[in-house]
Amino acid sequence: MPQLGLLHGRVWASLLGKLLRPPGAVCIGAVHSHSQGTRDLTPQQMVVREKILDLVVSCFKRHGAKGLDTPAFELKEVLTEKYGEDSGLIYDLQDQGGELLSLRYDLTVPFARYLAMNKVKKMKRYHVGKVWRRESPTIVQGRYREFCQCDFDIAGQFDPMIPDAECLKIMCEILSGLQLGDFLIKVNDRRILDGMFAVCGVPESKFHTICSSIDKLGKMSWKDVRHEMVAKKGLAPEVADRIGDYVQCHGGVSLVEQMFQDPRLSQNKQALEGLGDLKLLFEYVTLFGIAEKISFDLSLARGLDYYTGVVYEAVLLPTPAQAEEEPLNVGSVAAGGRYDGLVGMFDPKGHKVPCVGLSIGVERIFSIVEQKMKTFGEKIRTTETQVFVASPQKNFLQERLKLIAELWDAGIKAELLYKNNPKLLTQLHYCENMGIPLVVIVGEQELKEGVIKLRSVASREEVAIKRENLVAEIQKRLSES
Amino acid sequence: MPQLGLLHGRVWASLLGKLLRPPGAVCIGAVHSHSQGTRDLTPQQMVVREKILDLVVSCFKRHGAKGLDTPAFELKEVLTEKYGEDSGLIYDLQDQGGELLSLRYDLTVPFARYLAMNKVKKMKRYHVGKVWRRESPTIVQGRYREFCQCDFDIAGQFDPMIPDAECLKIMCEILSGLQLGDFLIKVNDRRILDGMFAVCGVPESKFHTICSSIDKLGKMSWKDVRHEMVAKKGLAPEVADRIGDYVQCHGGVSLVEQMFQDPRLSQNKQALEGLGDLKLLFEYVTLFGIAEKISFDLSLARGLDYYTGVVYEAVLLPTPAQAEEEPLNVGSVAAGGRYDGLVGMFDPKGHKVPCVGLSIGVERIFSIVEQKMKTFGEKIRTTETQVFVASPQKNFLQERLKLIAELWDAGIKAELLYKNNPKLLTQLHYCENMGIPLVVIVGEQELKEGVIKLRSVASREEVAIKRENLVAEIQKRLSES
């Protein structure tokens, strides 16, 4: 069976399909957010996360990535001057003696630091971990000051655009597998942007700050972005308008061709390099069968300082209804790009290791899925218990304990009530509420006859089984179900 | 098949069994520790961790635990006065406006805070996550300032010692499953300790500090601990010596009976409660079939302030050789106990929720396993790639890209070299080095005949397969292997 199908099956069968059972299971809990802008994750949320992260990580492994882990905090200097205007959002640790430390802001900079520190010239790695940013949390969007990132990166000197194309393929596989609805991947190139700025007459000193203004398109209207560039950042109005003509453009490979012919842009060496690579990229994504998902978009900038070439961002396409409500809120769920200079910043001799990568916006995806489930009132099992050990009579704790130890030692997921003499009804209700499929019942009668009663919670059927055959019988039933 | 066997199989087959292959796979890397006392985890280390954590988490799930996650940092006040003399090791975040925050020191206090905050009266949860402590790292012991904890806790009012006994059972299942060698679980009770202090004549104000001195037994000799209590903490010598008589004692349930008869201890109400519970605990662990692993040890104290009842600690028993080298270094690999007062500290009305739990010292376990593997020079695969897509001729990048996309879409783990025209030998070497079992080869000849060559890296056998049957054939082979 195709794995994407299988994964999709695994995820949605449990997320959306089987979710109406067990009856009593709890619905995705309300968000437990704290004054400090973080939150606890409830068991229901953890189940959703586990399944989504499983799908993401299997995709990363399918593409040959190795796992890597770096510490939550880095030396403060490692993080400085990597995040442009966002650097103010970095959490610093208090100086309690020793080095000045900061919590990591993303997983990319620590990865680059790792490569340089260990002189690694080639590596395909994935990293799932938390990052921290001092943003004012806007809970609606599922934004918190602590959140999970899933990164995949390819480091090394290779022939152009082959790893870059694989990154786009991975984004497509994951977003299709999660079935979040229709999506589009906007692609641009930092060199095209810089070329565009140059030919429009932006002074080079303003490239970075204008770039981060452009990055706000989508969240802000062109009118507001233009105002920011002119009023706040002192850009000449006519320069802003020239930029305006370009950033309206988006399309397929034909737009790349068109830009090659553009009288102004075609005069800029950098822009031509970027366009050349994009042309190649479109050739490769066509071979990967995902060309119709890719859109060359001159308004895509990406805020981070460290990008040097192609940049991309996956957005979920709003349904007509959504589009009417909030026309500007295109939901970015994955993004990335090429950063050929970052590793060199950590190498004493400045040796460069070209890198390209992507980050899946899993938090956004978690909240979309949780929202869906709330809307459909779907329930979810938070434990995996297969068998419950019960007794109808008093003074059977000893028998129950002996029995359950046998099940545990056989690898069977089993529970009992931590009471000396629970009522049978209480025990059976627990099974129904928790969605436990099987109950093992031991009482005086069974003890005399050397049997155990095995009850199916769903059908309420009970059969007597020889004590010594119990484990085998349970394993048989579980393998069948 | 019994799951422990299965898990043990899964873990050790790959950790110790199959480890000599693939030939070129890399050995567990050297530790990449940083000046700040943290370290990066290499892909080799990540593979070991993934397998060990899989075993631990499956055990927690087998006992019906739900997953829960809490933030890396808590309000500073949440952590204060919970860790006794270790509080100085807490990392604080810099005051950048807003609340004062600290990095979590363990997973227990955040769990208690969660229960109180959400008025949860009953919960069986597990939590795998990192914690941070400003200790001077002693790398030999595998101690770092950032490390992973695996906690299992049972919160709620239940009949005595049933959950406590399950915690000991879980520790046994995990340590047996990991096959780290022979182990012992020391058990004691805070009430017995306090009773012992009282009858020995320790002033109540000194209970906590004397308790943390006793906790150092094992790491320190009785002589040194006695010195600390008398010289540093101002305990009367004869009081210290009375304590000395008790803390030498360890044994099975018979020692519990003996202490019931102890002229001094039997006069102390608290001690008698503790002894009564221990007696019950021994009854239950006997039913669980793990009694021979449990030792009542009056020297076991556990440093943390929040324990209120039974406490336990699992130690690996040194081989005779090890015992000679470092007689005092008993390796604690898991520990826990009962803390009935902690949740109440977070509840505005002080409502209590009794809790008992355990923490697996996975870092210690990771380093033991890594050490073993180094000693045996064992190798490990860091990727899961199943198929490599190669071509013997130039200008076949397009074919390779089309082919690999087909494999990825079928859920097959596949890689190729990011080069336009790699040499066939280079491609085959890559497979051998990375331990990739299958190679798909496409060239002019194959293209003409509408076939693909499928090569087994191990046997070097090649067969031609119809292009349209390739995916099915590969899946057949992979399911067989």
Side-chain angles (χ1 to χ4, degrees):
Chain A
M1 194 200 312
Q3 182 163 2
L4 269 179
L6 176 72
L7 285 168
H8 149 229
R10 272 183 55 210
V11 172
W12 289 103
S14 36
L15 286 191
L16 301 169
K18 292 190 190 138
L19 283 174
L20 286 160
R21 299 136 104 262
V26 207
C27 203
I28 286 288
V31 168
H32 296 74
S33 62
H34 306 159
S35 53
Q36 59 267 38
T38 56
R39 62 171 172 174
D40 301 313
L41 298 172
T42 66
Q44 293 77 29
Q45 291 170 313
M46 291 300 285
V47 173
V48 175
R49 272 162 196 259
E50 205 178 328
K51 292 182 188 302
I52 291 173
L53 291 179
D54 274 355
L55 183 141
V56 171
V57 169
S58 337
C59 178
F60 291 161
K61 288 182 173 177
R62 187 160 62 243
H63 287 262
K66 305 174 173 186
L68 182 73
D69 189 47
T70 65
F73 47 74
E74 297 276 343
L75 293 175
K76 186 176 168 54
E77 70 218 41
V78 167
L79 303 190
T80 41
E81 284 169 16
K82 308 295 187 308
Y83 301 110
E85 299 183 348
D86 291 344
S87 302
L89 303 181
I90 294 171
Y91 275 103
D92 295 327
L93 267 66
Q94 198 180 98
D95 182 0
Q96 293 167 287
E99 296 81 356
L100 292 179
L101 306 169
S102 302
L103 294 182
R104 65 184 174 206
Y105 182 88
D106 66 9
L107 302 176
T108 310
V109 168
F111 174 55
R113 191 264 311 146
Y114 172 87
L115 293 174
M117 193 172 153
N118 301 289
K119 307 242 171 300
V120 177
K121 295 276 167 248
K122 246 190 210 168
M123 183 176 203
K124 188 160 34 167
R125 83 90 177 79
Y126 73 92
H127 188 176
V128 175
K130 289 184 171 176
V131 301
W132 296 271
R133 300 181 184 180
R134 298 182 50 255
E135 291 177 284
S136 51
T138 58
I139 291 167
V140 243
Q141 288 242 345
R143 264 207 178 186
Y144 289 88
R145 289 180 161 192
E146 170 181 79
F147 57 95
C148 177
Q149 281 198 337
C150 300
D151 282 23
F152 172 98
D153 294 82
I154 300 172
Q157 186 65 62
F158 302 110
D159 285 336
M161 293 298 112
I162 309 177
D164 313 60
E166 182 169 8
C167 288
L168 297 179
K169 177 73 169 92
I170 287 171
M171 284 162 72
C172 286
E173 286 179 22
I174 289 172
L175 293 177
S176 320
L178 289 172
Q179 298 214 316
L180 301 172
D182 204 5
F183 63 91
L184 191 72
I185 303 179
K186 301 178 183 177
V187 176
N188 196 4
D189 191 295
R190 269 294 165 88
R191 293 163 295 176
I192 299 175
L193 274 167
D194 288 351
M196 178 183 84
F197 292 148
V199 301
C200 292
V202 179
E204 207 170 337
S205 61
K206 285 199 161 70
F207 278 17
H208 267 318
T209 177
I210 294 304
C211 190
S212 38
S213 297
I214 295 298
D215 186 47
K216 294 175 182 151
L217 282 164
K219 299 180 205 78
M220 276 162 65
S221 71
W222 163 250
K223 191 168 151 301
D224 299 341
V225 171
R226 183 184 185 284
H227 175 76
E228 176 178 298
M229 296 194 295
V230 174
K232 297 214 185 90
K233 299 183 172 178
L235 198 67
E238 62 276 15
V239 174
D241 293 330
R242 277 186 223 118
I243 295 176
D245 298 339
Y246 282 111
V247 295
Q248 320 276 324
C249 306
H250 48 84
V253 66
S254 56
L255 180 60
V256 181
E257 299 296 355
Q258 184 187 321
M259 286 299 147
F260 265 119
Q261 310 311 325
D262 181 82
R264 281 176 302 189
L265 215 51
S266 57
Q267 301 311 307
N268 181 283
K269 187 169 162 302
Q270 267 196 299
L272 288 175
E273 285 175 17
L275 288 167
D277 276 350
L278 276 197
K279 196 175 164 188
L280 198 56
L281 184 67
F282 267 102
E283 183 190 327
Y284 295 159
V285 295
T286 308
L287 293 163
F288 283 159
I290 55 169
E292 79 287 348
K293 295 287 186 194
I294 313 298
S295 161
F296 174 32
D297 189 324
L298 281 144
S299 74
L300 180 70
R302 306 291 304 147
L304 300 170
D305 277 2
Y306 51 66
Y307 289 122
T308 55
V310 59
V311 291
Y312 33 81
E313 179 176 278
V315 297
L316 296 180
L317 298 177
T319 61
Q322 292 168 327
E324 229 164 76
E325 284 167 28
E326 20 181 7
L328 284 177
N329 177 12
V330 293
S332 159
V333 286
R338 176 161 286 282
Y339 49 101
D340 291 348
L342 189 57
V343 177
M345 294 171 76
F346 296 110
D347 185 276
K349 297 206 182 80
H351 290 310
K352 289 190 172 180
V353 178
C355 295
V356 63
L358 63 97
S359 185
I360 304 292
V362 276
E363 293 291 343
R364 185 76 198 272
I365 292 169
F366 295 149
S367 54
I368 290 168
V369 173
E370 287 167 11
Q371 198 45 57
K372 272 192 190 179
M373 296 171 66
K374 261 186 217 160
T375 322
F376 302 143
E378 269 136 3
K379 321 265 186 184
I380 190 160
R381 252 196 101 173
T382 55
T383 62
E384 299 177 6
T385 308
Q386 302 161 316
V387 180
F388 185 88
V389 176
S391 173
Q393 279 120 4
K394 290 197 168 177
N395 308 319
F396 268 75
L397 177 61
Q398 294 203 343
E399 284 305 320
R400 281 155 57 213
L401 293 179
K402 260 191 287 179
L403 238 169
I404 199 166
E406 210 176 304
L407 300 181
W408 285 331
D409 293 342
I412 295 164
K413 298 169 184 158
E415 282 186 89
L416 49 63
L417 292 190
Y418 303 123
K419 283 176 112 304
N420 290 313
N421 302 309
K423 291 202 179 61
L424 184 61
L425 206 60
T426 320
Q427 299 174 80
L428 296 180
H429 277 156
Y430 181 84
C431 297
E432 285 177 0
N433 292 335
M434 299 302 295
I436 301 171
L438 293 173
V439 190
V440 161
I441 302 171
V442 56
E444 277 158 17
Q445 193 57 27
E446 290 76 18
L447 214 53
K448 259 203 234 89
E449 299 168 4
V451 297
I452 295 289
K453 236 186 251 157
L454 188 58
R455 175 188 172 107
S456 151
V457 174
S459 70
R460 300 182 171 193
E461 283 164 26
E462 291 185 352
V463 288
I465 290 160
K466 278 223 183 75
R467 181 75 165 77
E468 59 270 29
N469 303 341
L470 180 64
V471 165
E473 174 64 24
I474 290 173
Q475 278 162 338
K476 191 170 139 292
R477 291 230 196 166
L478 293 173
S479 63
E480 285 161 1
S481 67
Chain B
M1 195 200 312
Q3 183 162 2
L4 268 180
L6 177 73
L7 286 168
H8 149 227
R10 270 182 54 211
V11 172
W12 290 103
S14 36
L15 285 191
L16 300 168
K18 291 192 192 134
L19 283 174
L20 286 159
R21 300 140 97 263
V26 209
C27 204
I28 287 287
V31 168
H32 297 73
S33 63
H34 306 159
S35 53
Q36 58 267 36
T38 56
R39 62 171 171 175
D40 301 314
L41 298 172
T42 65
Q44 294 77 30
Q45 292 171 315
M46 290 301 283
V47 173
V48 175
R49 272 162 195 257
E50 204 178 328
K51 292 181 187 303
I52 291 174
L53 291 178
D54 275 356
L55 184 142
V56 171
V57 168
S58 333
C59 178
F60 291 162
K61 287 182 173 177
R62 188 160 62 244
H63 287 262
K66 303 175 174 185
L68 181 73
D69 189 45
T70 65
F73 48 74
E74 296 276 343
L75 293 175
K76 186 176 168 56
E77 72 221 40
V78 167
L79 303 190
T80 41
E81 284 167 17
K82 308 296 188 307
Y83 301 110
E85 299 183 348
D86 290 343
S87 302
L89 303 182
I90 294 172
Y91 275 103
D92 295 327
L93 268 66
Q94 198 179 96
D95 182 0
Q96 293 166 289
E99 298 80 356
L100 292 179
L101 306 169
S102 302
L103 294 182
R104 67 185 174 205
Y105 182 88
D106 65 9
L107 302 176
T108 310
V109 167
F111 175 55
R113 190 264 310 147
Y114 172 87
L115 293 174
M117 192 172 154
N118 300 290
K119 307 240 171 302
V120 178
K121 296 274 167 252
K122 243 188 216 170
M123 183 176 203
K124 188 158 35 166
R125 83 91 176 81
Y126 74 92
H127 189 177
V128 174
K130 289 185 172 175
V131 301
W132 296 270
R133 299 181 185 181
R134 298 181 48 256
E135 292 179 278
S136 52
T138 58
I139 290 166
V140 241
Q141 287 242 347
R143 266 208 177 185
Y144 289 87
R145 291 182 158 189
E146 169 180 81
F147 58 95
C148 176
Q149 280 198 336
C150 301
D151 283 23
F152 171 98
D153 293 82
I154 301 171
Q157 185 65 61
F158 303 110
D159 285 337
M161 291 300 111
I162 310 177
D164 313 60
E166 183 169 9
C167 288
L168 297 180
K169 178 75 169 87
I170 288 171
M171 284 162 72
C172 287
E173 285 179 23
I174 289 172
L175 294 177
S176 320
L178 288 172
Q179 298 212 318
L180 300 171
D182 204 5
F183 63 90
L184 191 73
I185 302 178
K186 301 177 181 178
V187 176
N188 196 5
D189 191 296
R190 270 292 167 88
R191 292 163 297 175
I192 299 176
L193 273 168
D194 288 352
M196 178 181 83
F197 292 149
V199 300
C200 292
V202 180
E204 207 171 336
S205 61
K206 285 198 162 68
F207 278 16
H208 267 318
T209 177
I210 294 304
C211 190
S212 37
S213 298
I214 296 298
D215 185 48
K216 295 174 183 149
L217 283 164
K219 298 179 207 77
M220 277 161 66
S221 70
W222 164 249
K223 190 167 154 301
D224 299 341
V225 170
R226 183 185 184 283
H227 176 77
E228 177 179 297
M229 296 194 296
V230 174
K232 296 213 186 91
K233 299 182 172 176
L235 198 67
E238 63 275 17
V239 175
D241 294 331
R242 279 188 221 117
I243 295 176
D245 299 338
Y246 282 110
V247 294
Q248 321 277 323
C249 308
H250 48 83
V253 67
S254 56
L255 179 61
V256 180
E257 300 296 356
Q258 185 188 319
M259 286 298 147
F260 265 117
Q261 311 310 325
D262 181 82
R264 283 176 299 188
L265 215 51
S266 57
Q267 301 309 308
N268 181 283
K269 186 169 164 303
Q270 267 197 299
L272 288 175
E273 284 175 17
L275 288 166
D277 276 350
L278 276 197
K279 196 178 165 187
L280 198 56
L281 185 66
F282 267 101
E283 183 190 328
Y284 295 158
V285 294
T286 308
L287 293 163
F288 282 159
I290 56 169
E292 80 286 349
K293 295 287 184 192
I294 313 295
S295 161
F296 174 32
D297 188 323
L298 282 143
S299 74
L300 180 71
R302 306 291 307 147
L304 299 171
D305 277 2
Y306 51 66
Y307 288 122
T308 55
V310 59
V311 289
Y312 33 83
E313 179 176 278
V315 296
L316 297 180
L317 297 177
T319 61
Q322 292 167 327
E324 229 163 76
E325 284 166 30
E326 18 179 10
L328 284 177
N329 177 12
V330 292
S332 160
V333 286
R338 176 161 285 283
Y339 49 101
D340 291 348
L342 189 57
V343 177
M345 294 171 76
F346 296 110
D347 185 276
K349 297 205 181 82
H351 291 309
K352 288 190 173 179
V353 178
C355 296
V356 64
L358 65 98
S359 186
I360 304 292
V362 276
E363 294 289 344
R364 185 79 199 273
I365 292 169
F366 295 149
S367 54
I368 291 168
V369 173
E370 287 167 11
Q371 198 46 56
K372 272 193 193 179
M373 296 172 66
K374 262 186 217 157
T375 321
F376 301 143
E378 271 136 2
K379 320 266 183 180
I380 191 160
R381 250 196 103 173
T382 55
T383 62
E384 299 178 6
T385 309
Q386 301 161 316
V387 180
F388 185 88
V389 176
S391 174
Q393 278 118 5
K394 292 199 166 176
N395 308 318
F396 268 77
L397 177 61
Q398 294 203 343
E399 283 306 319
R400 281 155 57 211
L401 292 179
K402 261 191 287 180
L403 238 171
I404 200 165
E406 212 177 301
L407 300 181
W408 287 330
D409 293 344
I412 294 165
K413 298 168 184 159
E415 281 186 90
L416 49 63
L417 292 190
Y418 302 124
K419 283 175 114 303
N420 290 313
N421 302 308
K423 291 202 181 61
L424 183 60
L425 205 60
T426 319
Q427 299 173 80
L428 295 180
H429 277 157
Y430 182 84
C431 297
E432 286 178 358
N433 292 336
M434 299 302 293
I436 302 170
L438 292 174
V439 191
V440 161
I441 301 172
V442 56
E444 275 159 18
Q445 192 56 27
E446 289 76 19
L447 214 53
K448 256 202 237 88
E449 299 168 2
V451 299
I452 295 288
K453 237 186 253 158
L454 188 58
R455 175 188 173 107
S456 152
V457 175
S459 70
R460 300 185 172 192
E461 283 163 29
E462 291 185 354
V463 287
I465 289 158
K466 277 225 187 77
R467 180 75 167 77
E468 59 269 31
N469 302 342
L470 180 65
V471 165
E473 174 63 22
I474 289 173
Q475 279 163 339
K476 189 169 142 291
R477 293 230 194 167
L478 294 173
S479 64
E480 286 161 1
S481 69

